[in-house]
């Protein structure tokens, strides 16, 4: 952008060279300007990060903090700022300081095709990078919104899982009654599995074939879960058809609820 905007500074460069400014002086000036822009960008970026970090933590369910007290944080920011400023300013400084005084005063810059090609390439690269970053930010925002608001088919909030109670099979009903007696507990269910995989828990795998197709076609993978009559209400599952298990009906002990998928 600096080199593309060089024509607006051509007369300034011509006058400075006419009154005795050397090329090294001009390079120092343009490099200083680039570093100053980098410093301003750093300050704005830190202010935005500090202001918006609580919102990001809320959206992403994170606890990120800016490590102001870490010994290498500020030096690394300064080093990064100087590096970015130097990289951003070196080519414009060399390009602008190379103007001949007469051509600069006439607002005529060098017409070297290679220089123009490099300059145009840098401008295109800068705009392409900006567009990619903006699109990436929009996609990331949509993904976070999807994760937070997508209806996953069951209620996962305020659910506590107790694992390994199969070792107290004879007392499991007493455990459920004791838990339900706690005022803060709204429901208790005993089952094999959760609606979603849990780390370290293996699930059973059962193959299913269409009737008469056993061994002739590839099976559909499925699972049998043992659940009780409270499972559906505990997770807020919605039954499309049929009814939930009823402990008062003996035949329900061999009944099945089939999920749609």
């Amino acid at each position: 952008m600096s080199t593309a905007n060089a024509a607006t500074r051509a007369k300034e460069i011509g006058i400075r060279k006419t009154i005795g400014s050397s090329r090294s002086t001009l390079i120092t000036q343009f490099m200083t300007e680039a570093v100053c822009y980098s410093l301003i960008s750093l300050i704005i970026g830190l202010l935005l990060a500090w202001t918006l970090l609580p919102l990001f933590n809320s959206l992403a369910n994170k606890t990120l903090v800016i490590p102001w007290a870490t010994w290498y944080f500020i030096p690394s920011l300064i080093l990064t700022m100087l590096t970015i400023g130097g990289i951003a300013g070196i080519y414009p400084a060399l390009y602008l300081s190379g103007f001949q005084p007469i051509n600069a005063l006439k607002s005529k810059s060098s017409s070297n095709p290679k220089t123009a090609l490099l300059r145009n390439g840098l401008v295109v690269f800068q705009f392409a990078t900006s567009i990619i970053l903006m699109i990436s930010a929009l996609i990331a925002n949509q993904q976070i919104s999807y994760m937070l608001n997508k209806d996953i088919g069951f209620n996962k909030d305020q659910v506590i899982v107790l694992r390994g109670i199969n070792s107290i099979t004879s007392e499991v009903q007493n455990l459920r009654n004791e838990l339900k007696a706690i005022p803060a507990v709204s429901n208790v269910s005993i089952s094999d599995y959760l609606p979603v995989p849990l780390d370290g828990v293996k699930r059973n795998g059962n193959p299913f074939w269409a009737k008469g197709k056993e061994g002739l076609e590839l099976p559909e993978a499925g699972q049998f879960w043992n659940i009780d009559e409270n499972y559906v209400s505990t997770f807020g599952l919605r039954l499309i058809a049929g009814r939930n298990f009823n402990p008062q009906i003996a035949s329900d002990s061999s009944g099945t609820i089939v999920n749609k998928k």
Side-chain angles (χ1 to χ4, degrees), residues 42-96:
L42 173 64
I43 294 173
I44 294 175
L46 286 174
L47 289 175
L48 288 175
W50 178 71
T51 304
L52 298 177
L53 190 57
L55 176 61
F56 175 82
N57 285 335
S58 176
L59 290 175
N61 194 25
K62 300 292 184 181
T63 56
L64 301 178
V65 295
I66 299 177
W68 300 107
T70 306
W71 68 269
Y72 58 81
F73 181 66
I74 298 299
S76 65
L77 287 181
I78 296 175
L79 179 61
T80 303
M81 179 266 296
L82 293 174
T83 302
I84 293 176
I87 295 175
I90 186 64
Y91 177 71
L94 295 175
Y95 174 74
L96 295 174

Side-chain angles (χ1 to χ4, degrees), residues 53-242:
L53 190 57
L55 176 61
F56 175 82
N57 285 335
S58 176
L59 290 175
N61 194 25
K62 300 292 184 181
T63 56
L64 301 178
V65 295
I66 299 177
W68 300 107
T70 306
W71 68 269
Y72 58 81
F73 181 66
I74 298 299
S76 65
L77 287 181
I78 296 175
L79 179 61
T80 303
M81 179 266 296
L82 293 174
T83 302
I84 293 176
I87 295 175
I90 186 64
Y91 177 71
L94 295 175
Y95 174 74
L96 295 174
S97 63
F99 283 3
Q100 296 299 320
I102 294 179
N103 291 332
L105 290 172
K106 293 180 180 180
S107 297
K108 294 181 180 180
S109 60
S110 173
S111 58
N112 188 334
K114 293 183 179 180
T115 302
L117 180 63
L118 178 58
R119 181 173 67 251
N120 294 336
L122 288 172
V123 173
V124 171
F125 173 76
Q126 181 173 354
F127 276 104
T129 303
S130 301
I131 292 172
I132 291 172
L133 288 174
M134 286 188 287
I135 293 175
S136 300
L138 291 174
I139 292 175
N141 179 69
Q142 291 177 348
Q143 291 292 321
I144 293 175
S145 177
Y146 179 85
M147 289 188 292
L148 292 176
N149 303 317
K150 171 65 177 177
D151 181 8
I152 58 177
F154 69 95
N155 183 13
K156 61 180 176 56
D157 297 327
Q158 304 299 321
V159 176
I160 297 177
V161 180
L162 301 179
R163 300 166 63 176
I165 63 170
N166 57 336
S167 60
I168 56 170
T169 305
S170 60
E171 299 293 333
V172 71
Q173 295 301 328
N174 293 332
L175 173 62
R176 177 165 64 179
N177 294 334
E178 291 292 334
L179 291 174
K180 290 192 70 173
I182 300 175
V185 177
S186 60
N187 215 339
V188 179
S189 175
I190 299 173
S191 65
D192 287 341
Y193 304 105
L194 296 174
V196 293
L198 196 64
D199 292 341
V201 176
K202 295 182 179 180
R203 296 192 175 213
N204 58 39
N206 304 101
F208 291 86
W209 287 272
K211 189 173 182 179
K213 301 293 185 179
E214 294 86 346
L216 300 177
E217 296 180 352
L218 293 175
E220 291 289 338
Q223 296 176 342
F224 286 116
W225 297 358
N226 290 319
I227 66 173
D228 61 13
E229 68 277 8
N230 296 319
Y231 190 88
V232 171
S233 58
T234 299
F235 287 103
L237 301 175
R238 297 183 297 274
L239 293 179
I240 298 175

